[in-house]
């Protein structure tokens, strides 16, 4: 089984150590970096080379929002799971739109943190009930603001199929089998969709699709 390398950024040492300790029984997760703030995290990424980052939001020097935005742009292959006490839906929306791959509250059980790490590493995103409720609320909100570009975006049948299967949590390999195309073709379609929607990753693509009612 593949070992997933994880970094954690949080300014509370006790919390960092607690998370690491709670996940030590999962042998396929290896912590390769700890950081007290976003700046320290970013400076160590080239050396630690994590697959997934557990990111707090409120930190000194460089907070989790700034760090997520920077890492999503400069290290797009690294997946970010926000791990915070902030339940405000505005934080969820903003973080998912600027590049986070998942959003967890610090009250989450170790089993859910582990599941989030595994899913973002495999599929590129993790949407739990908390995030899904916010997505559902936004998709039905009468005050929802849909970007003006959405009216100009046209999707092919194949692009709609890819979005549908991604939102159903199928991997690129599984989607390729269902559509009878190569995984490379699926990835190319996904990249084209992210460019059309202006999203940073698969999580942002799912978030946009649900928020703008692009799937049934």
């Amino acid at each position: 089984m593949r070992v997933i390398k994880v970094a954690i950024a949080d300014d509370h040492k006790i919390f960092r150590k607690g998370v690491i300790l709670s996940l030590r029984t999962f042998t396929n997760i290896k912590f390769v970096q700890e950081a007290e703030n976003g700046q320290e995290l970013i400076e160590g990424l080239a050396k630690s080379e994590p697959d997934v980052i557990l990111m707090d939001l409120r930190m000194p020097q460089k907070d989790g929002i700034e760090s997520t935005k920077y890492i999503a742009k400069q290290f797009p292959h690294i997946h970010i799971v926000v791990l915070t006490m902030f339940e405000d839906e505005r934080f969820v929306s903003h973080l998912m739109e600027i590049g986070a791959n998942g959003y967890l509250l610090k009250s989450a059980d170790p089993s859910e943190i582990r599941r989030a790490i595994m899913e973002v590493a495999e599929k590129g995103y993790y949407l739990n009930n908390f995030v899904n409720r916010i997505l559902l609320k936004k998709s039905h909100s009468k005050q929802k603001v849909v970007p003006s570009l959405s009216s100009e975006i046209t999707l092919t049948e194949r692009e709609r199929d890819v979005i549908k299967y991604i939102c159903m949590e199928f991997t690129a390999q599984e989607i390729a089998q269902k559509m009878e195309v190569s995984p490379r073709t699926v990835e190319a379609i996904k990249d084209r969709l992210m460019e059309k929607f202006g999203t940073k990753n698969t999580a942002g693509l799912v978030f946009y699709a649900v928020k703008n009612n692009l799937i049934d």
Side-chain angles (χ1 to χ4, degrees):
M1 184 180 292
R2 174 194 172 196
V3 175
I4 300 172
K5 297 185 292 182
V6 179
I8 182 169
D10 194 291
D11 59 336
H12 291 94
K13 184 176 181 179
I14 293 177
F15 181 78
R16 293 200 312 269
K17 296 298 184 183
V19 171
I20 294 172
L21 184 64
S22 70
L23 297 177
R24 69 176 181 177
T25 57
F26 302 115
T27 56
N28 60 329
I29 292 176
K30 178 182 179 182
F31 280 88
V32 294
Q33 183 184 358
E34 290 183 58
E36 294 185 352
N37 56 68
Q39 188 62 43
E40 182 181 341
L41 170 70
I42 290 168
E43 290 174 356
L45 289 180
K47 181 178 180 180
S48 63
E49 298 183 332
D51 301 302
V52 178
I53 296 170
L54 298 178
M55 180 84 76
D56 189 20
L57 293 184
R58 178 173 288 169
M59 296 183 291
Q61 295 189 44
K62 187 182 287 289
D63 63 36
I65 297 176
E66 292 179 277
S67 301
T68 295
K69 187 181 297 184
Y70 179 86
I71 293 169
K73 183 177 180 179
Q74 300 297 327
F75 301 89
H77 59 285
I78 299 178
H79 299 98
I80 300 171
V81 176
V82 174
L83 187 56
T84 179
M85 66 178 66
F86 291 106
E87 298 186 52
D88 192 320
E89 64 185 47
R90 292 172 299 178
F91 281 99
V92 179
S93 300
H94 185 60
L95 267 297
M96 298 296 279
E97 287 171 354
I98 66 173
N101 304 85
Y103 195 105
L104 291 178
L105 299 178
K106 286 188 174 181
S107 57
D109 291 332
S111 60
E112 185 178 11
I113 298 175
R114 186 247 184 184
R115 185 163 62 252
I117 291 171
M118 300 296 293
E119 291 201 15
V120 298
E122 179 182 359
K123 297 186 298 187
Y125 67 95
Y126 174 71
L127 302 178
N128 56 10
N129 290 335
F130 171 64
V131 175
N132 280 330
R133 282 198 301 271
I134 293 172
L135 283 171
L136 186 62
K137 179 180 177 181
K138 282 186 170 294
S139 69
H140 289 84
S141 174
K142 294 182 179 179
Q143 296 181 349
K144 178 185 64 178
V145 177
V146 179
S148 58
L149 281 177
S150 64
S151 60
E152 303 171 13
I153 294 175
T154 57
L155 300 178
T156 67
E157 183 177 349
R158 182 171 286 187
E159 288 172 337
R160 288 187 179 279
D161 285 341
V162 169
I163 290 178
K164 178 182 70 175
Y165 288 131
I166 288 175
C167 291
M168 292 172 67
E169 302 188 11
F170 288 110
T171 64
Q173 183 68 42
E174 292 168 336
I175 295 172
Q177 291 175 354
K178 287 182 175 296
M179 296 179 61
E180 299 183 347
V181 298
S182 70
R184 182 174 296 180
T185 297
V186 173
E187 292 293 345
I189 294 173
K190 188 172 70 173
D191 289 343
R192 188 163 67 243
L193 287 167
M194 288 191 291
E195 183 177 354
K196 282 186 176 183
F197 300 153
T199 57
K200 302 291 186 181
N201 52 34
T202 307
L205 180 60
V206 172
F207 193 88
Y208 184 97
V210 175
K211 186 172 68 173
N212 292 285
N213 298 315
L214 296 181
I215 58 173
D216 296 330

